[in-house]
Amino acid sequence: MTTSEEQIEHVRDLVARIPAGAVVTYGDIAAAAGLSTPRTVGWIMRTDSADLPWHRVIGAAGRPAAHLAQRQLRLLAEEGVPIRDGRVDLRAARFRFPELP
């Protein structure tokens, strides 16, 4: 299935709305954007997120991708996101989009 420009822009808008000091998962964004899989969000983030707070999007286990881990965790820690043993404390830092239950 092809990802439309409208879907890409919706994901970009959602990522831009994540406040400093908070994180969301790829699945949170997929649900808010009406996408069928978090993998689509991952693809969009890999190809079109340089101007967004990409570091605030994390995997469901709270761990960043290995190739980004040091940089992402440093940026999140600078914003006050609680991190324990290389993992974001999702219970404390997770942002909920108002359009989701």
Side-chain angles (χ1 to χ4, degrees):
M1 183 173 166
T2 304
T3 305
S4 71
E5 282 298 317
E6 183 178 322
Q7 290 170 317
I8 291 170
E9 288 308 312
H10 193 183
V11 167
R12 289 179 49 77
D13 175 63
L14 290 167
V15 173
R17 290 175 33 204
I18 305 165
V23 297
V24 299
T25 68
Y26 292 96
D28 294 338
I29 294 173
L35 299 172
S36 61
T37 177
R39 291 180 185 267
T40 303
V41 175
W43 174 81
I44 293 168
M45 295 297 295
R46 278 191 308 277
T47 59
D48 193 19
S49 69
D51 61 335
L52 296 171
W54 60 267
H55 60 285
R56 297 178 188 150
V57 182
I58 197 122
R63 291 197 187 278
H67 69 288
L68 297 172
Q70 279 189 316
R71 184 172 177 212
Q72 188 169 18
L73 292 175
R74 178 182 49 78
L75 291 169
L76 291 171
E78 288 173 0
E79 292 183 357
V81 172
I83 299 166
R84 293 182 187 90
D85 298 322
R87 184 180 294 206
V88 171
D89 182 349
L90 287 174
R91 286 187 187 160
R94 195 176 211 163
F95 174 74
R96 301 284 182 189
F97 292 107
E99 53 268 40
L100 291 178

